[in-house]
Amino acid sequence: MLSLQHTYNNTWVVDATARVLGSLSNLQKRRYRSLSGYAFLVLLVVALYGLSLPLFLLRKPFAKRFSKLDPNRVFNNPDVYVKYKKRLAQMHRYSPSMEDIAAITAKHRVWYLAFPLKEFQFASKLMLAYRDGMQAMLDKYNSRQFQSESTEFSFVTEKELWENRNHAYDYWM
Amino acid sequence: MFSQHFHFRYINSHKRVEGGQQIVTYNYSFRGKTNKRYIVLAELHPHNIYAVKFYLQEHKSCAKKYQRLTSIGEGSRIITTLANIIKVLYAKDDTSSFAFYGMHSEGEPKGETKRYRLYARILENLVSSVFFQHEKSAKNSAYLLLNRKYNDPDLLKKVEAMFKELYEGVL
């Protein structure tokens, strides 16, 4: 069944999705028997289609742009690096929600919600792949590019530098 | 902090050969808030490594000019000025690497000097690891920023060998 045990973070998309999915869960159990309940169901379905249509339209261009990213040229200046790091931190926070949505199986989809749920799933899987791709690009900075057998110098990883820095300062280089 | 700097100017450059290696020194100068003049030497070593040094001009003839403390209290602006000079050098050649040595003051041990601790803290906060590989040696009070665009996987080994030869006692 749809799981709502995780706490969703404060973004309107994730929050809205959680509320909608929660409502769907109740609807599937046929708790709403009155006319107002069915009217709410109609509104809910319309809202879901409204949310999923932009996802459908933007999914392919986003996937195409992401596939064309050159790992060696993504971080072409410090500001871009900072922007991606912040974005990646956000992605890690939303990962539980996205993994929940990506794990919804076909048997849990009712016919009138097949399209929106499918779109939410595609979007979640794409965002999870984007997260993993960005993390892989950054992970290469956590190993030494220039090697030495000597122990005179110790390597400072990108992760260590990011965690220990004062984020009030802008990078010089 | 680290946003304001003194206006600096390029003076000249000269070449010398030391330890069988050609070193080109680029000289810059700037004046601090008390109008005292600082001299900055950016020494370009083989493998595109810059070693940046600075001292107060009035200490020019002093053997321990790099160890003297001025007690003027304009450290952050001086360091920001040096950073801007480094940016100029980096803009000239984006494969340049940089080496820093925290000289010990008189009576201070050579390992993990206060200058080294300051430089390390600043470089870790203000230079990203995307363009430079950070290598530090607290024991030797040395910090390296190795440019990731430099196409030689043995760069670190060569830098260590170079500094052992040139700067006896540093490594």
Side-chain angles (χ1 to χ4, degrees), chain A residues 78 81-82 156-158 160-162 165-166 169-173, chain B residues 79 83 86-87 90 96 98 100 119-134 143-148:
Chain A
Y81 165 68
V82 170
V156 190
T157 63
E158 179 270 327
E160 216 177 304
L161 287 170
W162 181 258
R165 80 179 293 259
N166 184 337
Y169 293 123
D170 292 328
Y171 279 117
W172 284 337
M173 297 191 286
Chain B
I79 286 170
I86 287 170
K87 281 187 204 173
Y90 182 65
S96 306
F98 299 92
F100 304 89
Y119 298 159
R121 180 73 84 88
I122 289 169
L123 293 170
E124 284 169 2
N125 273 277
L126 296 166
V127 178
S128 73
S129 58
V130 170
F131 305 113
F132 295 95
Q133 177 173 314
H134 289 235
Y143 203 103
L144 297 177
L145 293 176
L146 301 177
N147 196 314
R148 292 185 186 274

Side-chain angles (χ1 to χ4, degrees), chain B residues 4-29:
Chain B
Q4 287 185 317
H5 63 95
F6 297 116
H7 174 71
F8 61 89
R9 63 185 186 92
Y10 171 75
I11 304 172
N12 57 23
S13 66
H14 60 269
K15 295 179 189 175
R16 72 178 196 275
V17 175
E18 194 172 314
Q21 297 172 23
Q22 177 166 280
I23 298 171
V24 181
T25 305
Y26 298 94
N27 298 307
Y28 293 83
S29 78

